[in-house]
Amino acid sequence: MCTIARASRSSVVQIEDSQSETVGTGSVLSDTRRALQKIATKAKAPVLLRLVFHDAGTYLQSASNGGANASIRFELKRPENTGLNRGWSLIAAIKKELEGTAAAQLSHADLIALAGAHAVATTGGPVIKVPIGRADASAEDPKGRLPEETLTADQLRQAFAAKGLGTRDFVALSGAHTLGNKGFGEPLSFDNAYYKSLLNRPWNDPNNSMAAMIGLPSDHVLADDPACLDMIKGYADDQDVFFTDFSASFLKLASLGAQWA
């Protein structure tokens, strides 16, 4: 599943297959979709979605640097990025697959965002129209900008605010933890099971031998925060609301600090 838009500082215009951005019988949209379907399989969805946050999450609004720029390829040895070399290798493979096609113009930063959106859609989540035109960084972003797993809900709120993201954004984006092996529902199903689990607080169950393996400390604190709790209840009750808010917050995340061509 791949939906692409062309971004600029003043507007976003969707690229359709019928438009002129073609090489031979291909187009940016169809060529990218084909590469994603071949390489970014459903089993790879968790690592690809995580890659989006770890690339874009280096943005700091006050410094006006970092963000969605594919600098993650220089940062894979950082402790917080453990395991993301697998995600980056997929992006590199997609880029290689697109050589000689209309989509060869796409930057690595674009492909990270597109692969993340594809990961959501292919696991049952919403289809997100992703703008393209991001420039790739030529060096690593500053260290120490990703929120630590031990932060309180208020500290998380401050960390995301420093990136230009609000409380609703970080609560919605936290729902990405429904993918993978963090203990929230089926590992390859993008749904609202994360929020239902937060309300049940299974990590407090003394009879659950797997309790310690469910979620991160930064997940556990959300349900104890009144502002977050209201949103958690809303998302647990209505998956469509979660999908709508996640889509909007994902697009904000995938555009943080981006330099648009």
Side-chain angles (χ1 to χ4, degrees):
M1 186 68 65
C2 176
T3 305
I4 302 176
R6 168 58 54 83
S8 70
R9 286 186 171 81
S10 59
S11 64
V12 174
V13 180
Q14 186 177 1
I15 295 177
E16 300 290 353
D17 277 345
S18 60
Q19 288 188 300
S20 60
E21 302 215 11
T22 61
V23 172
T25 59
S27 74
V28 174
L29 180 59
S30 63
D31 290 337
T32 305
R33 180 185 291 127
R34 186 162 48 249
L36 288 170
Q37 290 173 341
K38 177 179 178 179
I39 296 168
T41 59
K42 186 176 181 178
K44 309 298 185 183
V47 71
L48 286 170
L49 187 53
R50 181 172 172 241
L51 190 70
V52 180
F53 180 74
H54 282 247
D55 184 47
T58 58
Y59 179 66
L60 186 63
Q61 198 170 43
S62 61
S64 296
N65 62 23
N69 56 19
S71 67
I72 187 72
R73 67 194 190 277
F74 305 116
E75 301 156 8
L76 295 173
K77 292 184 178 180
R78 295 180 183 179
E80 64 269 28
N81 294 332
T82 298
L84 285 178
N85 58 308
R86 295 181 295 113
W88 174 253
S89 68
L90 293 169
I91 299 301
I94 294 167
K95 182 71 170 173
K96 184 173 180 60
E97 183 73 16
L98 294 174
E99 290 178 359
T101 74
Q105 64 180 291
L106 296 178
S107 65
H108 290 98
D110 282 338
L111 293 176
I112 290 172
L114 289 165
H118 176 79
V120 171
T122 198
T123 51
V127 175
I128 305 172
K129 184 189 298 184
V130 177
I132 61 172
R134 298 166 187 77
D136 286 342
S138 57
E140 66 180 339
D141 285 341
K143 298 179 180 179
R145 291 186 175 179
L146 292 180
E148 297 176 5
E149 297 175 357
T150 56
L151 296 183
T152 66
D154 192 54
Q155 288 171 330
L156 285 168
R157 194 178 352 264
Q158 294 175 32
F160 276 78
K163 303 179 190 305
L165 298 171
T167 301
R168 184 167 296 278
D169 292 314
F170 90 73
V171 174
L173 290 170
S174 294
H177 288 177
T178 193
L179 291 184
N181 297 312
K182 296 182 178 68
F184 301 112
E186 296 296 323
L188 295 178
S189 292
F190 191 94
D191 53 29
N192 64 345
Y194 172 80
Y195 301 102
K196 294 177 180 179
S197 293
L198 291 187
L199 294 179
N200 291 330
R201 297 174 173 82
W203 48 85
N204 291 332
D205 184 357
N207 298 316
N208 186 345
S209 61
M210 299 298 292
M213 304 296 292
I214 299 174
L216 303 170
S218 54
D219 295 312
H220 301 173
V221 299
L222 297 187
D224 296 324
D225 181 84
C228 294
L229 182 58
D230 283 344
M231 298 173 195
I232 291 167
K233 289 179 178 177
Y235 294 155
D237 289 340
D238 194 329
Q239 182 168 273
D240 288 341
V241 173
F242 165 50
F243 280 8
T244 296
D245 286 357
F246 180 87
S247 298
S249 296
F250 178 92
L251 288 174
K252 289 182 184 180
L253 173 69
S255 297
L256 291 179
Q259 300 298 310
W260 300 99

